[in-house]
């Protein structure tokens, strides 16, 4: 029987997948023996959602931008045999003989999917489908065929480094926890994911929750833990719901609880919902939150491997790190280490966002150049504009100019640019981006998210933000650039946790690569990207203007004049530069310069 599958990750649901699924369900009710209807998570092509896939005899066709009406056409063609969309209109297709094609072949074909191996291919709410894809076989092997020390050695040999941002060797971290004796130990999964533009962990939890759970259980066996927590922000309701379903199914199947698979391991997992504090991405602040306290970092040492959650030895990794573990145990350390570079083994998942043509999730081998992610997988810049930079690592990261697009994405090369790998957020910027404003945006975020515990983070980020705001408002002073550099260095050196230590990175990297834009703001009182309203004037193109009068009606200071059906003009001396005219104009006649 043919199988029709609807992508029901949050990206798909936001694009209208629920209406598509409901329509298909109605059609199936009329002919229940014609096809099976199922759901899946995010395959990564968020830019083409809603997605509908048709499978039969080892072949698959995926259709993008599907509406309820088009879903009916696809059904008529691919299931009932009538006219309508076929292979030629599929965004991606594979045949049983291994051949593949479609308009989005470059997006998927250029990837190495280990973490995302099941995302968009299995039903995330079905334990049976996860097991059919090899799920929990790694757990069986780890519990029944491997000693705890052997598990740790396998993870060490794989070269897997923590994918949450710091890149610490995972097997080494596990060995530290295993070496500390205590009456109880904990395994924690950091699923907080607070970076603007990042959605890797959310998509994995929504699309393949059992892989994370299985990785946590294997870790518990390796380090000797008896209980685990998944710290997931409450803003991820679908991820939490599917995690809850997966945990319940794992318990019923005997993969969680007492004496798992007869191995003698007792281990269970609880979800802790976070309230959205960015600082709780720092592990000791996360522990504080789980314990019921305000999320504020602790002084280290002692480190979590010795005294973590409730002062007991604790292992903390993020979602992507744990999702790698079952694959490594099943396929072997050497198979994993075959991907990547000498010091950055394996793959890395990136969330492509911003001005990219193909926004979504991509998993590539470490060492892949930035340009491959932006141009080959991401399809380049929207609207054919010029690639200017990527902002990597979220608020803790930095901006890498297009001139350094050949830089490999790994744990050694990216830090040399001044940015960091981070958890995998990659915001692509085009030539309309003002780099001073980008720095201001991220400083505004980190300043608001500072827990306030240490002075340099609490006050230092505020002073940095005040200077940046002054510059973008046309009130910058020549000495501001030296002040930014000096203060950024002090905040990095004197802050207690990673939030403050990395908060100045957007400032430092934009100063390093785009100092001329800062100087233009200060010296010339101009924004080269024509983004900062205080430093530009608004004009109406007389050729494009139709005289519809909408802009004049919306102007709060009556700066726009002109008769109906005749060209309009803006009095720049009166204009408040609010931008309402640009938002109102339906003809693109108003521009900034």
């Amino acid at each position: 029987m043919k199988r029709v599958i609807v992508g029901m990750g949050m990206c798909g649901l936001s694009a209208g997948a629920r209406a598509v699924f409901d329509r298909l369900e109605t059609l199936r009710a009329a002919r229940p023996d014609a096809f099976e209807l199922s759901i899946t998570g995010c395959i990564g092509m968020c830019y083409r959602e809603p997605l509908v896939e048709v499978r039969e005899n080892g072949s698959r066709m995926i259709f993008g931008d599907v509406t309820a009406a088009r879903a009916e056409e696809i059904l008529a063609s691919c299931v009932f045999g009538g006219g309508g969309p076929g292979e030629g209109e599929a965004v991606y297709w594979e045949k049983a003989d291994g051949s593949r094609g479609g308009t989005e072949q470059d997006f998927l074909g250029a990837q190495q999917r280990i973490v995302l191996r099941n995302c968009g291919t299995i039903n995330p709410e079905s334990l049976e489908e996860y097991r059919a894809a090899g799920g929990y076989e790694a757990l069986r092997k780890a519990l029944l065929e491997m000693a705890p020390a052997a598990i740790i050695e396998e993870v060490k040999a794989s070269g897997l480094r923590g994918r949450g941002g710091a890149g610490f060797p995972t097997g080494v971290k596990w060995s530290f926890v295993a070496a500390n004796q205590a009456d109880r130990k904990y395994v924690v999964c950091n699923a907080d994911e607070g970076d603007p533009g990042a959605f890797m962990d959310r998509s994995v939890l929504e699309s393949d929750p059992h892989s994370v759970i299985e990785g946590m259980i294997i870790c518990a066996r390796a380090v000797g833990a008896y209980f685990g927590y998944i710290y997931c922000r409450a803003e991820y309701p679908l991820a939490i719901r599917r995690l809850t379903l997966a945990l319940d199914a794992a318990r019923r199947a005997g993969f969680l609880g007492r004496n798992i698979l007869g191995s003698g391991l007792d281990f269970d997992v609880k979800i802790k919902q976070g309230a959205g504090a960015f600082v709780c991405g720092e592990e000791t602040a996360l522990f504080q939150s789980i314990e019921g306290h305000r999320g504020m970092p602790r002084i280290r040492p002692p480190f979590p491997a010795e005294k973590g959650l409730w002062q007991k030895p604790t292992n903390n990794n993020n979602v992507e790190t744990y999702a790698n573990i079952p694959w490594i145990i099943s396929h072997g350390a050497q198979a994993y280490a075959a991907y990547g570079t000498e010091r950055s083994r394996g793959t890395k998942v990136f969330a492509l966002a911003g001005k990219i043509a193909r926004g979504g999730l991509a998993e590539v081998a470490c060492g892949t150049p930035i340009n491959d992610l932006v141009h080959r997988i991401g399809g380049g810049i929207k609207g054919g504009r010029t690639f200017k930079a990527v902002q990597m690592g979220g608020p803790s990261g930095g901006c890498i100019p297009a001139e350094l697009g050949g830089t490999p994405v790994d744990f050694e090369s990216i830090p040399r640019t001044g940015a960091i790998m981070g958890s995998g957020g990659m915001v692509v910027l085009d030539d309309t981006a003002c780099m001073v404003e980008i720095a201001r945006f991220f400083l505004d975020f980190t300043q608001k998210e500072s827990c306030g515990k240490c002075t340099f983070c609490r006050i230092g980020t505020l002073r940095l933000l005040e200077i940046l705001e002054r510059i973008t408002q046309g009130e910058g002073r020549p000495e501001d650039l030296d002040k930014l550099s000096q203060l950024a260095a002090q905040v990095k050196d004197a802050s207690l946790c990673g939030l403050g230590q990395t908060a100045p990175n957007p400032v430092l990297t934009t100063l390093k690569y785009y100092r001329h834009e800062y100087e233009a703001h200060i010296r010339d009182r101009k924004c080269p990207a024509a983004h900062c309203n205080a430093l530009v004037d608004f004009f109406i193109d007389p050729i494009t203007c139709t005289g519809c009068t909408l802009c004049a009606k919306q102007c709060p200071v009556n700066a726009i004049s002109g008769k109906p059906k005749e060209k309009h003009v803006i009095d720049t001396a009166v204009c408040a530069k609010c931008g309402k005219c640009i938002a109102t104009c339906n003809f693109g006649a108003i521009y900034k310069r």
Side-chain angles (χ1 to χ4, degrees):
M1 184 182 293
K2 291 184 178 180
R3 196 172 187 205
V4 179
I5 303 166
V6 182
M8 299 281 274
M10 187 56 71
C11 52
L13 291 169
S14 299
R18 173 56 63 184
V20 172
F21 183 86
D22 289 346
R23 182 58 179 156
L24 290 171
E25 196 169 40
T26 300
L27 294 170
R28 183 180 179 278
R31 300 178 65 175
D33 297 329
F35 66 97
E36 294 179 358
L37 179 62
S38 184
I39 67 169
T40 190
C42 174
I43 199 170
M45 289 190 287
C46 307
Y47 61 99
R48 296 304 300 265
E49 294 283 2
L51 294 167
V52 170
E53 179 179 346
V54 180
R55 293 183 192 171
E56 183 184 25
N57 299 327
S59 298
R60 60 193 301 220
M61 288 187 291
I62 301 177
F63 299 90
D65 305 306
V66 180
T67 61
R70 189 157 183 263
E72 190 167 349
E73 295 175 2
I74 292 169
L75 209 62
S77 171
C78 300
V79 176
F80 300 140
E87 183 179 287
E89 295 185 37
V91 297
Y92 183 76
W93 54 264
E94 292 178 2
K95 293 185 178 179
D97 61 8
S99 60
R100 60 183 63 183
T103 58
E104 311 307 318
Q105 181 182 2
D106 281 348
F107 182 83
L108 291 176
Q111 297 186 41
Q112 299 290 341
R113 295 169 71 90
I114 292 177
V115 172
L116 303 181
R117 58 193 178 275
N118 295 324
C119 296
T121 62
I122 68 169
N123 182 342
E125 299 180 8
S126 170
L127 173 61
E128 291 71 23
E129 287 198 27
Y130 179 70
R131 295 189 68 179
Y136 288 111
E137 287 305 308
L139 177 64
R140 188 178 300 277
K141 177 180 178 181
L143 265 55
L144 303 182
E145 301 176 20
M146 302 175 71
I151 298 172
I152 292 175
E153 289 305 313
E154 192 74 5
V155 176
K156 282 183 180 180
S158 73
L160 175 65
R161 297 172 66 169
R163 296 304 196 243
F168 193 83
T170 303
V172 175
K173 178 186 281 192
W174 288 18
S175 69
F176 292 160
V177 180
N180 284 306
Q181 301 301 313
D183 59 342
R184 61 185 64 184
K185 299 180 185 180
Y186 296 95
V187 169
V188 174
C189 175
N190 182 350
D192 192 54
E193 195 173 49
D195 291 3
F199 47 94
M200 303 78 58
D201 292 353
R202 172 178 61 77
S203 292
V204 172
L205 293 176
E206 291 174 358
S207 307
D208 191 18
H210 282 286
S211 67
V212 180
I213 296 168
E214 185 175 10
M216 292 180 69
I217 305 170
I218 293 171
C219 176
R221 171 67 167 178
V223 304
Y226 93 109
F227 203 81
Y229 287 89
I230 299 176
Y231 189 91
C232 184
R233 54 182 41 230
E235 295 96 328
Y236 286 177
L238 182 61
I240 290 172
R241 187 175 75 82
R242 288 181 176 164
L243 267 175
T244 302
L245 291 173
L247 289 171
D248 289 344
R251 291 189 192 99
R252 289 194 299 270
F255 297 124
L256 285 173
R258 310 273 304 176
N259 192 25
I260 299 173
L261 299 180
S263 66
L265 174 66
D266 298 337
F267 182 73
D268 208 340
V269 176
K270 179 179 180 180
I271 300 171
K272 168 68 177 179
Q273 296 188 37
F278 179 65
V279 73
C280 286
E282 197 279 336
E283 59 185 358
T284 61
L286 183 152
F287 298 156
Q288 289 283 98
S289 180
I290 291 177
E291 292 172 9
H293 307 298
R294 181 180 175 184
M296 301 178 78
R298 301 172 183 169
I299 296 175
R300 297 182 296 179
F303 292 95
E306 180 184 355
K307 290 185 178 181
L309 192 59
W310 284 295
Q311 300 300 305
K312 302 294 183 181
T314 303
N315 183 80
N316 176 52
N317 289 120
N318 82 324
V319 168
E320 185 178 341
T321 308
Y322 284 122
N324 274 296
I325 298 299
W327 195 95
I328 291 171
I329 298 300
S330 292
H331 294 80
Q334 296 310 310
Y336 187 80
Y339 297 104
T341 65
E342 183 177 354
R343 298 186 61 190
S344 298
R345 302 291 188 182
T347 62
K348 181 73 190 77
V349 181
F350 289 93
L352 301 178
K355 299 298 184 176
I356 195 81
R358 298 172 180 160
L361 288 179
E363 184 176 2
V364 297
C366 290
T368 300
I370 291 172
N371 280 335
D372 277 16
L373 279 157
V374 173
H375 296 292
R376 184 180 178 190
I377 295 175
I381 307 302
K382 284 181 180 178
R385 298 199 71 97
T386 303
F387 172 39
K388 185 172 185 176
V390 292
Q391 207 286 337
M392 284 190 65
S396 302
C399 294
I400 303 174
E403 292 75 19
L404 297 180
T407 303
V409 286
D410 59 48
F411 289 102
E412 286 71 48
S413 303
I414 296 300
R416 284 197 287 267
T417 69
I420 61 172
M421 281 265 281
S423 58
M426 184 178 285
V427 181
V428 180
L429 307 173
D430 67 10
D431 55 346
T432 64
C434 169
M435 304 312 290
V436 185
E437 167 57 23
I438 292 295
R440 188 212 63 79
F441 171 83
F442 283 106
L443 253 295
D444 179 66
F445 180 88
T446 50
Q447 197 280 321
K448 289 174 179 175
E449 293 293 335
S450 171
C451 74
K453 186 171 184 176
C454 55
T455 305
F456 273 91
C457 182
R458 181 179 71 250
I459 304 300
T461 55
L462 178 60
R463 296 288 91 87
L464 285 170
L465 177 61
E466 288 171 347
I467 295 172
L468 291 169
E469 288 180 336
R470 193 167 66 241
I471 293 173
T472 57
Q473 291 166 6
E475 300 171 2
R477 308 161 190 160
E479 61 269 23
D480 282 342
L481 300 187
D482 288 336
K483 285 183 178 180
L484 283 172
S485 297
Q486 294 167 5
L487 186 53
Q490 292 169 340
V491 173
K492 284 178 73 73
D493 291 341
S495 294
L496 175 62
C497 81
L499 186 150
Q501 292 164 5
T502 58
N505 284 348
V507 179
L508 292 172
T509 52
T510 52
L511 273 174
K512 179 179 180 180
Y513 300 114
Y514 299 96
R515 192 179 185 90
H516 60 281
E517 292 199 19
Y518 282 86
E519 292 171 344
H521 281 69
I522 296 171
R523 181 187 62 236
D524 304 328
R525 296 292 190 261
K526 289 293 182 182
C527 174
H531 182 277
C532 301
N533 284 352
L535 298 173
V536 299
D537 289 319
F538 287 65
F539 299 91
I540 298 178
D541 182 356
I543 298 176
T544 312
C545 178
T546 64
C548 69
T549 74
L550 285 177
C551 60
K553 292 176 182 178
Q554 289 295 318
C555 181
V557 293
N558 298 317
I560 303 176
S561 60
K563 296 180 180 179
K565 298 184 179 180
E566 295 182 4
K567 70 175 184 177
H568 284 46
V569 295
I570 298 176
D571 186 340
T572 57
V574 178
C575 177
K577 304 178 181 180
C578 64
K580 287 186 176 181
C581 54
I582 291 180
T584 302
C585 182
N586 294 320
F587 304 98
I590 304 176
Y591 62 96
K592 297 186 289 185
R593 185 179 65 204

